[in-house]
Amino acid sequence: MSTTYLEAIREGLWEEMERDPNVFCIGEDIGEYGGAFKVTAGFLEHFGARRVVDTPISEAAIAGASIGAGLMGLRPVAEMQFADFISCGFDQIVNFAAKCRYRWNAPVPIVIRSPSGGGIHGGPFHSQNPEMWFVRTPGLKVVCPATAYDAKGLIKSAIRDNDPVLFFEHKALYRKIKEDLPTEDYTVPIGKAKVVREGTDLSIITYGAMVWTALEAAETLAAEGVSVEVVDLRTLVPLDRDTVCESVRKTSKVLLLHEDTRTGGMAGELAATITETVFEYLDGPIVRVTAPDTPVPFSSTLEEAFLPNAEKVIEKARWLYRY
Amino acid sequence: MSTTYLEAIREGLWEEMERDPNVFCIGEDIGEYGGAFKVTAGFLEHFGARRVVDTPISEAAIAGASIGAGLMGLRPVAEMQFADFISCGFDQIVNFAAKCRYRWNAPVPIVIRSPSGGGIHGGPFHSQNPEMWFVRTPGLKVVCPATAYDAKGLIKSAIRDNDPVLFFEHKALYRKIKEDLPTEDYTVPIGKAKVVREGTDLSIITYGAMVWTALEAAETLAAEGVSVEVVDLRTLVPLDRDTVCESVRKTSKVLLLHEDTRTGGMAGELAATITETVFEYLDGPIVRVTAPDTPVPFSSTLEEAFLPNAEKVIEKARWLYRY
Amino acid sequence: MSAVHAAGAELDRSVAAAGTPEAALAHKCLYYMQLMREVEDRIERKLYRQGKVLGGVYVGRGQEAISVGSGLVAIPEDVLFPSHRDMAIFFIRGISSRRVLAQYMGRVGGLTRGRDGNMHMGDMDAKVVSIISALAATVPVAAGAALAMRYQGSNGVAFSYFGDGSTSRGDWHEGVNFASVQKLPVVFICNNNQYAYSTPLNLQMACANVADRGPAYNMPAEIVDGNDVLAVYAATERAVAHARSGKGPYLLECKTFRMTGHSAHDMAHYVPKGLFEEWGKLDPIVRIQQRMLEENWATQAEIDQVHAAVTAEVDDAVAWAEASPFPDPSTLLEDVYESQ
Amino acid sequence: MSAVHAAGAELDRSVAAAGTPEAALAHKCLYYMQLMREVEDRIERKLYRQGKVLGGVYVGRGQEAISVGSGLVAIPEDVLFPSHRDMAIFFIRGISSRRVLAQYMGRVGGLTRGRDGNMHMGDMDAKVVSIISALAATVPVAAGAALAMRYQGSNGVAFSYFGDGSTSRGDWHEGVNFASVQKLPVVFICNNNQYAYSTPLNLQMACANVADRGPAYNMPAEIVDGNDVLAVYAATERAVAHARSGKGPYLLECKTFRMTGHSAHDMAHYVPKGLFEEWGKLDPIVRIQQRMLEENWATQAEIDQVHAAVTAEVDDAVAWAEASPFPDPSTLLEDVYESQ
Ligand SMILES: Cc1ncc(C[n+]2csc(CCOP(=O)(O)OP(=O)(O)O)c2C)c(N)n1
Ligand SMILES: Cc1ncc(C[n+]2csc(CCOP(=O)(O)OP(=O)(O)O)c2C)c(N)n1
Ligand SMILES: [Mg+2]
Ligand SMILES: [Mg+2]
């Protein structure tokens, strides 16, 4: 039976709570209501209020209480109702959670789950991709799964990880994609990218919902005789630089793709990594396809123009291929 | 008479308050005490409590109240006691201030001054360089002056600017550098980089305190016959991509330097900009010299190892020159 | 300000016809409450279901007395910070139902020109500041506006609106504390509708009333029946008098009930059914109508006429909004900064 | 736990010699207050001036009764969250003055191995959680630790310490609110020393006492003389009994005065001179000594002996700390993540 991206996360969380009594959930409206997106639907009934902690509207307290519980040896999984509200608990994450181990050897094994991304007419405050705030903060791990399989495997790894993990769930994927999942327990390692399509002419390096955009573009380009390799980073920190560079060595042409806005986005880090590591292999400029540097607009006409899509990727890829 | 970097900011702020009755200061301990670094020493006596507003320990309220006053047509200049505490008022800055104009055409002409940077044994919470959190957030401008002249000219431009400006003052420069300043009113435009040393072999692109490190390295390298061009970005947003690319066209070799940690740092954005714009001019890998991906350590031995310095720049530059 | 409303003529007429100031006030209250109810009904029960309104839809059905009763106290100098359930504030400040509907439909005629949706809108000319999604974020911003008004020598007051759940946020505390230390002219107006999304009060706060938080800031706090528009009006007058006279902020807790789910997609299964019935009997529009009849401030025919006028106004507004174009994608990059 | 202290033998002896539990408690209090005073004096007045301690130095001189009187109430299960003026907590939890001094000097012998400085230290084995600089950030973290203890079936209580100024922060409010909604076992202990850096109380809060904030959370709040170590001890016993019994958090406001500048570089010109004199008379160490003499809990010779033992302990600790190496730069990249 096929499992959606949302259901995969739900299952991963559920199984980890069954497996380890130290795992618990905390967040706004996650109990009786089951969470804004229903990821924890049924959890309260099954696990009880001790392990499914509904909180006041207090993102700093959600993050802070998770840290406190993590320091005490529990494994809290906190939910931000939308990734856009993570900025309300920001200091706890970037200054408290991120630096405890480094400063006084105190592990903070917490997971912060955040539905992020656009494409659902959410407008400026329900569509953001805030991963780079955390990618640039040493001490945090950052995970952005693109598939149901990875979402389940990575949420499990995140929960078992002994460092603070930011887990970004692309909300447009929640109910849009599904696949058959193994019935037995499995994990996907944090820090390993995956070549999701092999190719020889050009590499698209991407993550999150844009993996699907890249695959769509690759399909069209294949018909035109352009062989595109697609690398799904899966984890942004730690970054699997080896897999990225390996792909560049193979194709010599790189298109970096993300839904996040351009300036200061992940593409920058990738471009720097590539030029400093495999510069000699490059056979053309490194090209970026990203959202422009604006807030996420609400209206469909604008949001469509704002979000990267296969067309935009194809156009840039064609140009790069011919370069 | 020579003016320090700190005194230059103080003068710029003072003159703007004299010039425009809508300009006022707000922050913790900025009144009678004159601010943690004494940037506003004497302001309370001269301008009175109406225009020098001491606040409770409430960074969100400092940012939020500044936004409210800015919406009403005033020009608040807020002080974060240390840049490290800006994460406590984060949501106000990245979601409120940054998006008002875009969303409902409401300008938020505020300046947030923050002493940032290491080298003063401040440890993990008094040494951070948080500029990239804001560089990646559309709607904010980000300014990082390196000299007393620029500090004064840019604080004035920031105050006169009709968009929210994050103004990072490198605290290690406060009393370390000085120069003669013009006696007449002047400004330095936001968004314009400056070639602070001309060269032909290699470009170092940098900003903030690292400009001095770059110049020191360039001096040593000159003695070895390597002609280094040093570009001081001065403003990170808007980014003067033209000046950066112009320098690369000239030298064909680039070393990117910042005090901020490596992953997700400004060097990434620069590397991406360069490879997508002037790839053909590149005659070697783009090289980064940055702090490593750790919190800022306290002990001198570690902090020294952590911070980029002329030696580290020289070593990389030599390698690149020979490449 | 009524000129911008299609039904403005009817409002002016009925206010003028009212015998006493009290009756005139009641007429105004009825008009704005009816208008808010009608616009929100149209949005939530029609346009949203037709797919013409996208994104989140939050309505203030049953809570109209709060924004209307308090908003009508505001003078032009005052700056208002409505929450996501205070639509009437926009109408009272002269923003037409046309523009509000266009906003919901993502059209250029909306206050954000399609850049943002629903109640995420503002207009500094009308002195209405847009919320951002992050709850209570406007609270310190309202304090800053109040600081600015005192700075500028204006006698304006900031009206800061929020729900019960929003008082849990750090920004709420920082903003209220700063306002009270600085004795700023702010009235803090809480719509305590007993739920925050699915979260009931007892999971939100340990105190019995939001007003119990007043003493923490040495700030007077008053509880008022939030479904009685004239009571809200009177209490707001007290609050505003306090704030305007320089005595500092004032907290008004309006007890009410959210007669809907949190937003249009939420069926509110978590709310005990009996509560809807109980509070349904206290509907603020029905109550003001009854009062108007009892006090002879209006006849049933006049009351019906208000409803008819409002319905006609909203029909026109919907048509106007639907005729307003979607934003041109070529404008995508505009307005992030003053000049690009 | 006294074994880790060089002067532990003297402490054990004097406690054992005390005739009554009260006298024994007084001896403990004196020892820890003296030790904190001596270590801080050495740091601020000697090592800092010699350039051997770098960075910010904040001391709790004159406030020792608060961390000592409350910290001695803690049982091993309890988790403590000291503020930057609560050094004695570390000693009470068995962390030696050697390691504390090494911490200040940035040596590997410090609790953070030179990675952080001054009071930014913790040790989960001793159940002491490190502050971060951002004030009040530990407040929600303490609530989380309390949640964990209840979850784990422990009867531990979280001791959350902070200053008057820290109560202005949003995190403080969110943490206290969450703890009170969840009825978590936390005692919130405020050292109200009347200043936050240069900021006096009246610019920090509009209420007269921090305790006035209790009702906002339906939380008992008590004011105690923070310069009377036995009074602090007794009040903490009440607070802890409440929290440990499952009734939820308790707020203890310890009135005191900061007898120094904010940090070693601050001359506190903004503090009216008279206040130092006035509060100097209420020095908590002098007061417990007087009490001990009055009550015949100790002789002057015994009191002098405590001081001598503490001085000797600190002499040894300074030497030990100075002998501890600076961190090896080759370790620079370690410990950011579990495995690199
Ligand atoms: C900081 C933040 N966290 C979470 C949300 C999601 N959210 C939107 S409205 C809402 C409930 C608000 O409750 P309340 O303040 O009582 O206002 P009401 O909707 O009841 O009028 C929540 C949790 C948000 N908008 N902002
Ligand atoms: C969020 C934040 N803002 C500002 C500071 C700078 N700062 C350090 S201590 C201090 C004063 C603290 O006052 P209080 O809470 O009363 O504690 P006290 O020092 O008086 O014990 C300030 C403003 C900080 N550490 N954190
Ligand atoms: Mg509510
Ligand atoms: Mg204090």
Side-chain angles (χ1 to χ4, degrees):
Chain A
M1 216 199 60
S2 262
T3 308
T4 62
Y5 181 87
L6 184 142
E7 189 60 30
I9 295 165
R10 189 177 174 281
E11 274 181 13
L13 189 48
W14 181 286
E15 289 172 19
E16 288 304 295
M17 283 181 72
E18 290 281 12
R19 188 186 59 77
D20 181 352
N22 288 324
V23 179
F24 75 99
C25 297
I26 182 168
E28 293 158 14
D29 305 295
I30 64 165
E32 184 174 351
Y33 194 69
F37 291 95
K38 303 285 181 193
V39 171
T40 55
F43 278 49
L44 179 67
E45 292 77 350
H46 186 74
F47 295 106
R50 175 169 162 271
R51 299 184 66 195
V52 184
V53 181
D54 252 322
T55 70
I57 303 173
S58 302
E59 283 74 12
I62 293 170
S66 297
I67 294 167
L71 287 169
M72 297 296 291
L74 298 185
R75 296 191 169 270
V77 181
E79 176 174 296
M80 294 285 141
Q81 202 156 79
F82 281 81
D84 307 70
F85 306 140
I86 204 165
S87 42
C88 299
F90 199 68
D91 184 64
Q92 290 286 345
I93 301 169
V94 300
N95 278 326
F96 216 124
K99 298 177 176 54
C100 274
R101 178 187 292 281
Y102 177 80
R103 293 170 52 242
W104 53 292
N105 264 328
V108 180
I110 66 173
V111 179
I112 300 180
R113 296 180 36 245
S114 305
S116 64
I120 57 139
H121 313 294
F125 302 117
H126 289 78
S127 310
Q128 294 178 80
N129 291 291
E131 56 266 16
M132 290 309 291
W133 285 333
F134 307 101
V135 167
R136 74 153 296 273
T137 305
L140 303 174
K141 294 182 175 172
V142 181
V143 173
C144 300
T147 68
Y149 180 90
D150 285 349
K152 182 170 177 181
L154 282 164
I155 189 75
K156 288 187 169 222
S157 293
I159 291 169
R160 298 179 195 183
D161 199 283
N162 290 325
D163 287 308
V165 180
L166 280 289
F167 191 87
F168 290 102
E169 308 171 0
H170 200 294
K171 67 176 89 70
L173 298 180
Y174 270 149
R175 294 182 171 83
K176 195 160 108 186
I177 60 168
K178 49 170 117 180
E179 66 186 297
D180 291 333
L181 299 187
T183 48
E184 61 281 346
D185 180 43
Y186 71 93
T187 60
V188 170
I190 289 179
K192 287 268 163 266
K194 187 177 175 191
V195 177
V196 290
R197 180 183 175 116
E198 304 240 9
T200 51
D201 292 332
L202 186 151
S203 300
I204 301 181
I205 321 283
T206 188
Y207 61 93
M210 286 297 121
V211 169
W212 301 99
T213 304
L215 289 172
E216 190 189 333
E219 201 59 36
T220 304
L221 289 160
E224 301 175 11
V226 184
S227 166
V228 173
E229 174 144 313
V230 178
V231 178
D232 174 3
L233 294 174
R234 304 199 291 191
T235 301
L236 303 191
V237 178
L239 179 60
D240 184 354
R241 299 180 200 268
D242 289 345
T243 299
V244 170
C245 292
E246 194 47 54
S247 182
V248 177
R249 276 194 204 97
K250 188 170 154 194
T251 64
S252 295
K253 289 189 171 171
V254 197
L255 186 152
L256 305 172
L257 168 65
H258 54 65
E259 184 183 306
D260 188 16
T261 48
R262 190 177 195 79
T263 298
M266 192 64 198
E269 182 56 32
L270 293 166
T273 296
I274 292 166
T275 53
E276 72 196 354
T277 316
V278 287
F279 173 75
E280 287 297 340
Y281 291 84
L282 281 177
D283 204 18
I286 297 176
V287 163
R288 288 190 275 186
V289 178
T290 70
D293 289 329
T294 80
V296 186
F298 168 71
S299 254
S300 318
T301 50
L302 292 177
E303 195 185 17
E304 235 165 76
F306 173 88
L307 291 173
N309 57 27
E311 250 171 85
K312 297 176 196 176
V313 172
I314 290 165
E315 192 193 313
K316 284 278 189 187
R318 279 192 194 128
W319 177 88
L320 183 59
Y321 175 70
R322 290 197 210 104
Y323 186 90
Chain B
M1 216 199 58
S2 261
T3 308
T4 62
Y5 183 87
L6 184 142
E7 188 61 28
I9 295 165
R10 187 176 177 281
E11 274 182 12
L13 188 49
W14 181 287
E15 288 171 23
E16 289 304 294
M17 284 182 72
E18 291 280 12
R19 189 187 59 78
D20 181 352
N22 288 324
V23 179
F24 75 99
C25 297
I26 181 167
E28 294 159 13
D29 305 296
I30 64 166
E32 184 174 350
Y33 194 69
F37 290 95
K38 304 285 180 194
V39 171
T40 55
F43 279 48
L44 179 68
E45 292 78 348
H46 186 75
F47 294 107
R50 176 171 162 270
R51 299 184 68 193
V52 183
V53 181
D54 253 321
T55 70
I57 303 173
S58 303
E59 282 74 14
I62 293 170
S66 297
I67 294 166
L71 286 168
M72 296 297 291
L74 298 185
R75 296 191 169 270
V77 181
E79 175 174 297
M80 295 285 140
Q81 202 157 77
F82 281 80
D84 307 69
F85 307 140
I86 203 165
S87 42
C88 299
F90 199 67
D91 184 64
Q92 290 285 344
I93 301 170
V94 300
N95 278 327
F96 216 124
K99 299 178 174 54
C100 275
R101 177 187 293 280
Y102 177 81
R103 295 170 51 240
W104 55 291
N105 264 329
V108 180
I110 66 173
V111 179
I112 299 179
R113 297 181 35 244
S114 305
S116 63
I120 56 138
H121 313 295
F125 302 116
H126 289 77
S127 310
Q128 292 177 82
N129 291 291
E131 57 266 17
M132 290 309 292
W133 286 334
F134 307 101
V135 167
R136 75 151 296 273
T137 305
L140 303 175
K141 293 181 175 173
V142 181
V143 173
C144 300
T147 68
Y149 180 90
D150 285 349
K152 182 170 179 181
L154 281 164
I155 190 74
K156 287 185 168 224
S157 293
I159 292 169
R160 297 178 195 184
D161 200 282
N162 289 325
D163 286 309
V165 179
L166 280 289
F167 192 86
F168 291 101
E169 307 171 0
H170 200 294
K171 67 177 89 70
L173 297 180
Y174 269 150
R175 294 182 170 83
K176 193 158 110 187
I177 59 168
K178 50 169 119 182
E179 67 186 295
D180 290 334
L181 299 187
T183 47
E184 64 284 356
D185 181 43
Y186 72 94
T187 59
V188 170
I190 289 178
K192 287 267 162 266
K194 190 179 174 190
V195 177
V196 290
R197 180 184 175 116
E198 303 239 10
T200 51
D201 294 331
L202 186 151
S203 299
I204 301 180
I205 321 284
T206 188
Y207 61 93
M210 286 297 119
V211 170
W212 300 98
T213 304
L215 288 171
E216 191 190 332
E219 199 60 36
T220 303
L221 289 161
E224 302 174 10
V226 184
S227 168
V228 173
E229 175 144 312
V230 178
V231 178
D232 174 3
L233 295 173
R234 303 200 291 194
T235 301
L236 304 191
V237 178
L239 178 61
D240 184 353
R241 299 180 201 267
D242 290 344
T243 300
V244 170
C245 292
E246 193 48 52
S247 182
V248 177
R249 275 194 204 95
K250 190 170 152 192
T251 64
S252 295
K253 289 190 170 170
V254 197
L255 186 153
L256 305 172
L257 168 65
H258 53 67
E259 185 184 304
D260 188 15
T261 48
R262 190 177 195 79
T263 298
M266 193 64 198
E269 182 56 32
L270 293 165
T273 296
I274 291 165
T275 53
E276 73 195 351
T277 317
V278 287
F279 174 75
E280 286 297 339
Y281 290 84
L282 280 177
D283 204 16
I286 296 177
V287 162
R288 288 191 273 186
V289 177
T290 69
D293 288 330
T294 79
V296 186
F298 168 70
S299 253
S300 316
T301 49
L302 292 176
E303 196 185 15
E304 237 167 75
F306 173 87
L307 291 172
N309 58 28
E311 250 172 82
K312 297 175 196 176
V313 172
I314 290 165
E315 193 192 313
K316 284 277 187 188
R318 278 191 194 129
W319 178 87
L320 183 59
Y321 175 70
R322 292 197 210 104
Y323 187 91
Chain C
M1 290 186 180
S2 56
V4 299
H5 298 290
E10 171 55 23
L11 172 61
D12 291 348
R13 196 206 53 69
S14 81
V15 167
T20 62
E22 259 193 320
L25 174 63
H27 277 269
K28 277 200 203 172
C29 289
L30 175 61
Y31 168 74
Y32 284 114
M33 289 201 291
Q34 284 277 18
L35 181 58
M36 173 169 165
R37 175 80 52 100
E38 186 65 30
V39 170
E40 289 193 338
D41 274 1
R42 213 68 75 93
I43 288 168
E44 193 202 31
R45 297 183 169 170
K46 213 162 157 188
L47 299 165
Y48 179 75
R49 293 182 192 167
Q50 293 172 344
K52 290 179 181 166
V53 161
L54 298 171
V57 166
Y58 318 91
V59 298
R61 187 174 307 122
Q63 306 183 193
E64 296 90 346
I66 298 168
S67 45
V68 172
S70 60
L72 285 173
V73 176
I75 62 173
E77 287 78 2
D78 297 337
V79 185
L80 285 80
F81 295 77
S83 86
H84 54 291
R85 303 205 194 273
D86 295 310
M87 185 184 281
I89 295 295
F90 291 87
F91 303 139
I92 290 171
R93 296 304 272 194
I95 292 155
S96 70
S97 47
R98 288 175 166 186
R99 299 205 62 198
V100 169
L101 278 153
Q103 165 79 9
Y104 273 78
M105 294 195 217
R107 311 302 175 106
V108 294
L111 291 189
T112 65
R113 298 116 47 240
R115 284 169 143 56
D116 205 341
N118 60 56
M119 292 291 286
H120 291 157
M121 58 184 168
D123 179 351
M124 281 315 289
D125 291 335
K127 297 210 168 137
V128 182
V129 173
S130 172
I131 44 168
I132 65 170
S133 269
L135 295 160
T138 43
V139 172
V141 177
L147 185 81
M149 288 189 274
R150 187 171 68 192
Y151 189 105
Q152 293 162 326
S154 149
N155 70 340
V157 166
F159 287 52
S160 172
Y161 294 86
F162 46 82
D164 43 288
S166 305
T167 68
S168 298
R169 283 223 49 236
D171 282 26
W172 186 86
H173 172 72
E174 292 199 7
V176 174
N177 186 58
F178 178 64
S180 61
V181 167
Q182 284 279 337
K183 283 194 181 304
L184 296 173
V186 191
V187 291
F188 293 109
I189 302 174
C190 179
N191 91 67
N192 183 345
N193 62 9
Q194 307 180 47
Y195 279 90
Y197 209 149
S198 74
T199 305
L201 282 177
N202 69 311
L203 286 176
Q204 195 69 246
M205 60 192 75
C207 52
N209 308 290
V210 170
D212 297 340
R213 297 193 155 160
Y217 312 99
N218 196 19
M219 167 175 67
E222 179 178 345
I223 296 175
V224 65
D225 176 352
N227 283 23
D228 178 345
V229 68
L230 296 179
V232 171
Y233 185 91
T236 308
E237 283 195 313
R238 285 189 289 278
V240 169
H242 178 92
R244 214 184 294 289
S245 70
K247 291 193 194 125
Y250 194 104
L251 173 60
L252 203 60
E253 175 179 7
C254 306
K255 299 274 195 195
T256 186
F257 193 73
R258 196 188 70 201
M259 292 299 295
T260 64
H262 167 63
S263 66
H265 73 271
D266 169 20
M267 296 303 110
H269 294 306
Y270 49 82
V271 177
K273 284 290 155 293
L275 286 174
F276 288 118
E277 271 169 49
E278 195 181 305
W279 282 88
K281 293 185 195 133
L282 299 171
D283 183 86
I285 295 183
V286 173
R287 277 169 77 185
I288 190 69
Q289 288 174 338
Q290 279 168 349
R291 182 86 192 276
M292 288 170 83
L293 293 171
E294 276 164 26
E295 304 269 3
N296 280 323
W297 291 338
T299 64
Q300 184 62 48
E302 285 172 313
I303 285 172
D304 292 344
Q305 211 165 326
V306 171
H307 192 219
V310 160
T311 307
E313 170 175 343
V314 179
D315 287 343
D316 159 81
V318 169
W320 187 90
E322 287 203 71
S324 175
F326 284 103
D328 186 330
S330 73
T331 64
L332 180 66
L333 303 181
E334 288 171 12
D335 297 334
V336 181
Y337 300 98
E338 184 171 30
S339 59
Q340 309 251 22
Chain D
M1 291 189 180
S2 56
V4 299
H5 297 291
E10 170 56 24
L11 172 60
D12 292 347
R13 197 204 53 67
S14 81
V15 167
T20 62
E22 260 192 319
L25 174 63
H27 276 269
K28 275 199 205 175
C29 289
L30 175 61
Y31 169 72
Y32 285 112
M33 291 202 289
Q34 284 276 16
L35 182 58
M36 173 168 165
R37 175 80 53 99
E38 186 66 29
V39 171
E40 290 194 338
D41 274 0
R42 212 69 74 92
I43 288 168
E44 193 201 30
R45 297 183 169 170
K46 208 159 161 192
L47 299 166
Y48 179 74
R49 292 182 192 167
Q50 292 173 342
K52 290 180 181 165
V53 162
L54 299 172
V57 166
Y58 317 92
V59 297
R61 188 174 306 122
Q63 305 183 193
E64 295 90 346
I66 298 168
S67 44
V68 172
S70 59
L72 284 173
V73 175
I75 62 173
E77 287 78 3
D78 297 338
V79 185
L80 286 79
F81 294 76
S83 86
H84 54 291
R85 303 205 195 272
D86 295 311
M87 184 184 282
I89 295 294
F90 291 88
F91 303 139
I92 291 172
R93 295 306 272 195
I95 291 156
S96 69
S97 48
R98 287 176 167 185
R99 299 204 63 198
V100 169
L101 279 153
Q103 165 78 9
Y104 273 78
M105 294 196 217
R107 311 302 175 106
V108 292
L111 291 190
T112 65
R113 299 111 52 235
R115 282 169 144 57
D116 204 340
N118 59 55
M119 292 290 287
H120 291 158
M121 58 184 168
D123 179 350
M124 281 315 289
D125 291 334
K127 297 208 168 136
V128 181
V129 173
S130 173
I131 46 168
I132 65 170
S133 269
L135 296 159
T138 43
V139 172
V141 177
L147 185 81
M149 287 189 276
R150 188 171 67 191
Y151 189 103
Q152 293 162 328
S154 149
N155 71 339
V157 166
F159 287 52
S160 173
Y161 293 86
F162 46 81
D164 43 287
S166 305
T167 68
S168 297
R169 283 223 48 235
D171 282 25
W172 186 85
H173 173 71
E174 292 199 7
V176 174
N177 187 58
F178 178 64
S180 61
V181 167
Q182 284 279 338
K183 284 195 181 301
L184 295 174
V186 191
V187 291
F188 294 109
I189 302 175
C190 178
N191 92 66
N192 183 345
N193 62 9
Q194 306 180 46
Y195 279 89
Y197 209 149
S198 76
T199 306
L201 282 177
N202 68 311
L203 286 177
Q204 194 70 243
M205 60 191 77
C207 52
N209 308 291
V210 170
D212 296 342
R213 298 194 153 159
Y217 312 98
N218 196 19
M219 168 175 68
E222 178 178 346
I223 296 175
V224 64
D225 175 352
N227 283 22
D228 178 345
V229 69
L230 297 179
V232 171
Y233 185 89
T236 307
E237 283 194 313
R238 284 188 290 278
V240 169
H242 178 91
R244 211 182 298 286
S245 71
K247 291 193 193 124
Y250 194 103
L251 173 61
L252 203 60
E253 174 179 6
C254 307
K255 300 275 196 193
T256 185
F257 193 74
R258 196 188 69 201
M259 292 299 294
T260 64
H262 167 63
S263 66
H265 72 273
D266 169 20
M267 297 302 108
H269 294 307
Y270 49 83
V271 178
K273 283 291 155 295
L275 285 176
F276 288 120
E277 271 168 50
E278 194 181 303
W279 282 89
K281 292 184 197 134
L282 299 171
D283 183 87
I285 295 184
V286 173
R287 277 169 77 186
I288 190 70
Q289 289 174 338
Q290 280 168 349
R291 182 86 193 275
M292 289 168 83
L293 293 172
E294 276 163 25
E295 305 268 3
N296 279 322
W297 290 337
T299 63
Q300 184 63 46
E302 284 172 315
I303 286 172
D304 292 344
Q305 210 165 327
V306 172
H307 192 220
V310 161
T311 307
E313 170 176 344
V314 180
D315 286 344
D316 159 81
V318 170
W320 187 90
E322 287 203 72
S324 176
F326 283 104
D328 186 330
S330 73
T331 64
L332 181 65
L333 303 181
E334 289 170 12
D335 298 333
V336 180
Y337 299 98
E338 184 173 29
S339 59
Q340 307 249 22

